[in-house]
Every structure is written in structure tokens, then in C-alpha cells.
Amino acid sequence: MTYKVAVAKGDGVGPEVVDSAMSVLDKVSSVFEFEIEYREVLVGGAAYDRMGTPLPKETLDMVKDSDSVLFGAVGGSKWDNLPHESRPEKAILGLRKTLDAYSNLRPGILYPQLKDASPLKNHIVEKGFDICVVRELVGGIYFGRKRTWEGESGEMAEDVEGYSRSEIERIARKAFQLAQLRRRKVTSVDKANVLHTSRLWRKVVQEVHGEYPEVDLEHMYIDNACMQVVRDPSQFDVILTSNIFGDILSDEISMLTGSIGLLPSASMGDGKKGIYEPIHGSAPDLAGKDRVNPIGTILSAGMMLEHSFGEIEAARSIEYAIKKVFEEKYHTEDVFMEDGKLVGTKEITRLIAMNIEKGTN
Ligand code: IPM
Ligand code: MN
């Protein structure tokens, strides 16, 4: 079996974390006997500098011909003043839209070995937590009408948040289906006390829930949700939310696990093709220093094996290898704890690859 993977490294730490994920994938594919054909494509600022656009046609063509996309990160101050359509972020937003990857899974799990790296107090994290944010990814304010204009009393700008019933229905189904495989609880997060879009969101989620009576549904306002995840993250199973609320909430949850560098993501539509990327950004200040935590990207590669290729055992072996490395107290600096052994990007990658083996799930 040969899987075709488009590799979009991007900017900042993107190339380093993607190289790490590829070297772990190389080990996994040799142990589990499948092939991966990597096809490197240009995205983000790197693509803008070479081709004058953050998402060149060549990249899109290659992505269309591939089974999935492994994505690093895009952006940097160098490109901050470009017009909206040329900004590096356009690459990831355009890819998500082109593939209609509306369902974004962002699992935030507390590894018991990293308990002390969490900023939460011990009595809160000792119960552990395992949350999966299901973020709508191709609608809402990210993709609504945007404009800046000269108003009567000076400059004005607006970004329109809009959701259709069908956009809400399809992401709600994904959340309920995921909850069926987990602890059967969905918390739908909105701002229905203020926003029309949220009121439609709540109504439609409520209706779709009728198809999944075995799953518990609760609704929560976004401000309360931001507070509740810090007060007691163990109360959550699946969090279903809109594009912008999911963006914010997933960064917050990532920090509770110890570091944003740990969180992977999978973005898919109705087919098997997906975009797999860490939830962190390009962190230009860390780039090229062997300091960035590659685990979010390595786990994203694991999600690719599971969700796009159905290589479940291979995916589990990656999670196992990471746990093993934590048990042996190897830490990158972002999750470094007193009694740990501080290692860089390359060394943690080597250790994870070394621990990949069969029969671990
Ligand atoms: C993320 C990122 C992106 C987003 C940016 C880079 C456009 O923050 O994947 O969370 O806002 O979706
Ligand atoms: Mn984000």
C-alpha cells in the first residue's frame, strides 16, 4: 500500500516540526509495512516569496492528487502588511475551503506524566481530562463578507458571521458521532444570549441531537466555557463549536495540557482526504533553533494514519511512543519540569521514533 501525502511545511518552525513528523512516519511505515510517497508543496510566506502567492496553483493541483496533506505552519511579521489575499494565512484558509474540510478535530489530553507542566493546580488536574474540540472550519466569520471602508466619521471595518442550517447540521452530526465513540457527551458552545447565528446554531444542534438520543447534550455560552475549562476540564468530553470560538477555545485548552506544542488537529470533509496540522502557529522566534516541540505535528501524522488511511494500529503506536518518552522524563523546554531531561526537537523526535513498535494498542 502506498499513500500519497502532500507535505506543506510553510514558515517559521513549520519545516522543523514537519521534518520531525516525517521521520517518525518513516519508522512507522517500515514497522507496519506500508509506503508513503511525500510530495513537497509550497505554502504561506515561503510560497509568496517564490511564487508571489501564498497558495500557488501547483500546490492545489498536487493536493487534489494526494490522499492527504501534512501541514506545518504559516505566517510571520515579514508578511504582516500584505493585503488580505496575499497573507500567508490565506494558504491554510484556502486549503480548508478547497477541500471543504469543515470538520476540525482538536483533541486536548492531559498526559499524567505532564501534570506538573499544566498551569492548573494539582487538585484540578489530578482527575485528568480528555477533551475533543469539534470546530466548524469553513464557515462563520472567517469566511463571511469582509470590508474596510471610509465611513462618515472615519475608517470602518466589518467581518460578517453567518451560518446556514446545513453547515450547522453537518458539523453537529460529526460531533455526535464522535461522542458515540467516546463518553457520549456533547457540549455545544455558542453566544446565543447575544448573537443571531448562535441562536440558529443552538436550535439546529438541538434538532440534530434527536438523531442521537444516547448522547447527552448541553449548551454553554462561550464566556462560561472559557471559565469552565479552567475550573474543571474533566467535565468535558466533546465540545462542538463555531470556527472562531473553536480557534480560541482550543488554544486555551492546549495550554491546560502543558503546552500548545502538544496539540494535533485533523480537518476533514465527507471523504477520507484530510489536512493534518499542529494547532500552534509558525513561532518565528523559535525557528531554526532546535527548540520547538514537534509532538503536536507528530500526533497530527498519527491522526492522518487513523482517519485518512485507516492504519489504526500504526496510529496507536505513535501515541504509545510519545507516552513512553514522557515516562522516561524527556521534555522539550516548553513542558520542561524540574526532574526532567531537557532535549531539543531532533532528540525528542529520535526518541519517539525509536519507541515505535508493533503490538502496543
Ligand atoms: C489555527 C490557526 C489558524 C486559524 C490561522 C493561522 C489562520 O490559528 O489553525 O488555529 O485561525 O484557524
Ligand atoms: Mn488558532
Side-chain angles (χ1 to χ4, degrees):
M1 194 64 209
T2 301
Y3 304 112
K4 294 183 280 185
V5 176
V7 176
K9 297 183 179 177
D11 311 316
V13 296
E16 284 163 84
V17 292
V18 172
D19 285 343
S20 287
M22 286 163 70
S23 89
V24 173
L25 278 175
D26 287 342
K27 178 70 187 288
V28 174
S29 59
S30 82
V31 170
F32 290 88
E33 291 160 51
F34 54 81
E35 302 282 327
I36 298 181
E37 181 191 320
Y38 298 110
R39 313 142 125 223
E40 200 165 327
V41 294
L42 282 171
V43 290
Y48 179 81
D49 288 348
R50 302 256 300 268
M51 320 279 283
T53 164
L55 187 55
K57 184 176 176 301
E58 290 80 352
T59 295
L60 278 176
D61 288 345
M62 189 60 99
V63 164
K64 284 180 189 150
D65 181 59
S66 300
D67 299 316
S68 76
V69 186
L70 184 60
F71 195 96
V74 290
S77 55
K78 182 177 170 196
W79 305 285
D80 270 351
N81 295 320
L82 290 173
H84 185 73
E85 289 304 297
S86 301
R87 285 183 62 103
E89 290 77 6
K90 179 73 197 177
I92 185 61
L93 298 174
L95 269 180
R96 291 170 180 170
K97 197 72 178 175
T98 306
L99 297 185
D100 196 26
Y102 64 86
S103 167
N104 181 216
L105 308 184
R106 298 190 158 192
I109 298 168
L110 183 78
Y111 292 90
Q113 305 85 358
L114 293 191
K115 207 160 50 65
D116 293 333
S118 171
L120 294 180
K121 291 211 168 86
N122 235 306
H123 74 270
I124 303 176
V125 284
E126 71 194 357
K127 281 184 273 178
F129 61 83
D130 177 350
I131 305 173
C132 190
V133 175
V134 178
R135 169 188 177 196
E136 198 291 326
L137 203 59
V138 296
I141 198 167
Y142 272 59
F143 293 94
R145 185 187 65 195
K146 307 182 172 296
R147 57 188 185 124
T148 304
W149 74 99
E150 202 53 53
E152 273 164 24
S153 52
E155 264 188 300
M156 296 275 298
E158 72 175 16
D159 300 88
V160 178
E161 163 93 343
Y163 269 113
S164 67
R165 162 175 284 278
S166 62
E167 283 176 312
I168 302 167
E169 279 171 358
R170 63 181 188 171
I171 191 67
R173 288 204 176 91
K174 291 276 185 188
F176 287 119
Q177 286 160 10
L178 180 67
Q180 283 178 321
L181 306 171
R182 298 171 45 107
R183 302 192 307 282
R184 297 204 196 92
K185 179 176 176 191
V186 170
T187 305
S188 175
V189 170
D190 62 37
K191 188 72 184 175
N193 49 347
V194 179
L195 304 176
H196 276 254
T197 39
S198 283
R199 285 199 275 274
L200 179 63
W201 181 279
R202 198 173 270 225
K203 182 169 101 180
V204 173
V205 169
Q206 193 75 48
E207 284 172 22
V208 174
H209 179 224
E211 299 165 26
Y212 304 90
E214 67 286 10
V215 177
D216 289 334
L217 170 67
E218 68 175 359
H219 301 280
M220 199 179 271
Y221 297 139
I222 178 66
D223 48 350
N224 185 25
C226 289
M227 184 270 280
Q228 292 294 341
V229 293
V230 177
R231 195 186 65 81
D232 178 16
S234 73
Q235 68 183 289
F236 295 100
D237 178 15
V238 172
I239 294 182
L240 161 64
T241 194
S242 65
N243 206 340
I244 186 131
F245 293 160
D247 180 45
I248 298 166
L249 211 44
S250 59
D251 266 35
E252 190 194 10
I253 292 169
S254 78
M255 197 56 221
L256 308 183
T257 71
S259 165
I260 192 170
L262 294 169
L263 255 64
S265 84
S267 311
M268 306 181 80
D270 288 323
K272 286 273 165 220
K273 192 182 291 193
I275 308 165
Y276 298 88
E277 49 169 332
I279 79 155
H280 65 70
S282 60
D285 51 317
L286 288 182
K289 297 182 177 154
D290 195 41
R291 289 171 56 191
V292 64
N293 187 342
I295 290 179
T297 317
I298 295 171
L299 284 168
S300 301
M303 291 186 89
M304 173 172 87
L305 297 179
E306 175 168 355
H307 297 280
S308 281
F309 307 153
E311 298 280 357
I312 312 291
E313 204 194 339
R316 291 291 96 79
S317 79
I318 293 183
E319 292 155 16
Y320 168 86
I322 290 170
K323 276 189 207 130
K324 200 78 199 288
V325 166
F326 287 153
E327 270 159 24
E328 288 162 11
K329 296 191 191 294
Y330 289 105
H331 304 142
T332 44
E333 63 181 58
D334 56 325
V335 291
F336 183 69
M337 289 173 289
E338 252 175 22
D339 57 344
K341 297 172 240 177
L342 181 64
V343 291
T345 311
K346 292 204 173 90
E347 181 61 5
I348 197 108
T349 302
R350 192 188 66 80
L351 290 162
I352 293 168
M354 205 180 80
N355 280 290
I356 297 289
E357 51 188 272
K358 277 197 168 165
T360 52
N361 61 331

